[in-house]
Amino acid sequence: MLKGKKRTGYLALRPDQTPLGFAEICIREYANGCTAQPVPFLEGIWIDPKHRRQGVGRALLENITGDLIKQGFRELCSDADIRDRRSHQAHQNWGFTETERVVYFRKVL
């Protein structure tokens, strides 16, 4: 992942350099609810449960945001399961605004 040009990983580290969280950004050609193409997309974020609600996720997102602005991007997009209210709240706390709700379908062939 880290060797690719379209994916970037970010780590949140404790003072002793052990990880306590991570986030992955992928540059997508398109993402629902976004206005720019291509668009950086928050593919995943995880914070050690003992360190949640202490600003670790916000610090990761601030670092990511700064990097993306330097690269000339105007928006960062993400998604969450429609039932995952904790994730919805976390995204709102990080400055995201909801753009739309989508139900995906598939057909097994």
Side-chain angles (χ1 to χ4, degrees):
M1 172 188 83
L2 296 178
K3 292 181 182 180
K5 293 182 181 179
K6 291 192 174 200
R7 294 186 181 271
T8 305
Y10 290 82
L11 288 174
L13 301 172
R14 292 179 179 93
D16 67 1
Q17 299 301 300
T18 58
L20 58 88
F22 72 87
E24 178 189 359
I25 300 296
C26 178
I27 305 302
R28 291 187 178 187
E29 294 304 314
Y30 170 82
N32 289 15
C34 298
T35 60
Q37 295 177 1
V39 60
F41 197 90
L42 179 62
E43 296 289 348
I45 184 166
W46 180 86
I47 307 300
D48 182 318
K50 297 175 199 166
H51 296 279
R52 291 180 184 165
R53 304 207 44 88
Q54 297 178 25
V56 176
R58 180 176 301 281
L60 269 173
L61 265 293
E62 287 174 0
N63 189 356
I64 291 165
T65 298
D67 285 354
L68 293 173
I69 289 170
K70 287 177 190 172
Q71 294 172 45
F73 290 105
R74 300 185 333 243
E75 61 186 345
L76 171 61
C77 299
S78 184
D79 63 7
D81 187 279
I82 201 162
R83 297 167 301 224
D84 191 346
R85 293 180 189 264
R86 275 198 239 170
S87 182
H88 300 175
Q89 185 62 56
H91 279 79
Q92 288 176 356
N93 293 345
W94 297 327
F96 285 86
T97 55
E98 185 176 321
T99 59
E100 62 185 56
R101 292 190 177 224
V102 178
V103 176
Y104 292 96
F105 297 91
R106 77 178 184 120
K107 178 181 176 180
V108 177
L109 303 178

